[in-house]
Structures are given as C-alpha cells and as structure tokens.
Amino acid sequence: MPPILNLEGWGERVGIPVVPITGFHLEKLVTAGVPAWIAYDYWCCDENELAFALANATQVINADDVDRFNHVAAGLALEGERVLLLDWPEQAPLPLPGGNRSECGAK
C-alpha cells in the first residue's frame, strides 16, 4: 500500500472511522460495535482514555513518527482490525495507564 498522508481523508473515502482517542469519539465506535477503526493519540489523552483504547484495540502501532505507519494502520483496518496509533517521542518507553503523561497537561 502506498504512503497515506491524510489518514482521516482516506478513512472517509473507504468508510473506516479514524478518530482521536480523546473525548467521546472512540467510545461511540466501541458502543456501536463498529468492527474496524483507527484511533490515534498525539500525547493528549489521560490515563483512562489510554486504558480504554488499549482495552478495545486489536492492534497497536507505537512509533516516534507514527505518520510513517499510516499505510500499515490502513491495511490492518481494511482487514477488520481495531487499530490504535500511538505517537511517542523517540526512544521514550510506552507510558501505560497510571504512568506519567505530563505532555499536554495529562496526568
């Protein structure tokens, strides 16, 4: 699959929801039983939102430049996966729920 620069636009064209994990967007998809979606976080979720996303995703992509993996997420979603894209700074460990998320005011 070629690189995808605008994942949200791609999702609209093919009918795969692409949403942030903050707010109510992901909860609505999970509640509705949507079989495939892509959710993303750019350091701006709290620990409960991250825990919810991790609990409901079937695939997780964690990278320091996650946009390079848009095509991978898209391919997985087309196969029916629920994909979580996590964009973390280079060489930073994955902060699991309860960890320190000081960026963007998250705790």
Side-chain angles (χ1 to χ4, degrees):
M1 182 176 280
I4 298 172
L5 300 177
N6 181 343
L7 194 56
E8 290 85 359
W10 172 87
E12 288 177 15
R13 287 190 304 278
V14 300
I16 301 281
V18 179
V19 299
I21 67 173
T22 56
F24 60 90
H25 306 286
L26 185 56
E27 289 180 32
K28 285 175 58 176
L29 295 177
V30 171
T31 301
V34 175
W37 42 258
I38 299 172
Y40 57 86
D41 169 52
Y42 295 103
W43 279 92
C44 294
C45 68
D46 66 29
E47 64 185 43
N48 292 328
E49 291 167 328
L50 181 59
F52 182 81
L54 287 168
N56 288 284
T58 56
Q59 297 286 332
V60 177
I61 297 172
N62 180 34
D64 64 333
D65 181 11
V66 79
D67 290 337
R68 294 179 299 139
F69 296 93
N70 284 351
H71 68 287
V72 176
L76 290 168
L78 286 172
E79 293 174 359
E81 301 287 351
R82 298 180 305 272
V83 183
L84 177 57
L85 283 171
L86 299 175
D87 193 16
W88 306 112
E90 186 174 351
Q91 299 180 356
L94 172 63
L96 296 174
N100 182 7
R101 306 269 329 259
S102 60
E103 299 290 325
C104 295
K107 297 179 180 170

